[in-house]
Amino acid sequence: MSEEYGANFITVTDEEGNEFELEHLDTIEFQGQTYLAFFPAVQDGEETQDEEEMGLVILKAIQENGEEILSTLDSDEEIDAVYNEFMKELFAEEEEAPE
């Protein structure tokens, strides 16, 4: 976890060795798997990049060598199904919220 941002932020490294910060939004269990939703973190004064890069990031928690790590999803079908599940939960929470 990144102390610079706080407890809801993590630093991840992509395949090319680039580090970036993600803000944790929600975690769900779906079809026996744990998925986490993030938004890319933007520091004050930092210019936002291409809007496409600012979208929701969904990763799954997997066990590798006895450690829990975050991994990308395996297929477009998995991405679509998990994204829809996150949206369903988000809208269910909004409907339950008192006005």
Side-chain angles (χ1 to χ4, degrees):
M1 292 281 198
S2 172
E3 295 302 317
E4 178 181 348
Y5 288 107
N8 290 330
F9 292 83
I10 64 168
T11 301
V12 295
T13 305
D14 66 14
E15 292 100 16
E16 297 169 1
N18 301 312
E19 287 188 352
F20 54 98
E21 300 288 329
L22 297 175
E23 179 181 8
H24 179 245
L25 302 173
D26 197 8
T27 301
I28 63 168
E29 294 290 327
F30 180 65
Q31 297 181 347
Q33 181 69 54
T34 301
Y35 294 94
L36 297 93
F38 300 91
F39 271 130
V42 178
Q43 295 181 7
D44 289 339
E46 182 179 299
E47 289 189 28
T48 58
Q49 296 178 356
D50 188 1
E51 277 188 36
E52 192 172 301
E53 293 182 28
M54 297 303 295
L56 187 68
V57 175
I58 300 174
L59 300 172
K60 64 181 171 182
I62 61 171
Q63 291 291 324
E64 187 172 285
N65 299 325
E67 283 187 50
E68 186 175 83
I69 63 169
L70 297 176
S71 175
T72 56
L73 281 59
D74 297 324
S75 67
D76 288 342
E77 292 81 14
E78 182 180 20
I79 292 168
D80 291 342
V82 174
Y83 175 82
N84 289 334
E85 190 65 23
F86 271 113
M87 292 299 105
K88 194 175 0 175
E89 291 208 9
L90 174 67
F91 289 118
E93 289 175 10
E94 285 182 3
E95 289 175 5
E96 293 173 5
E99 292 184 28

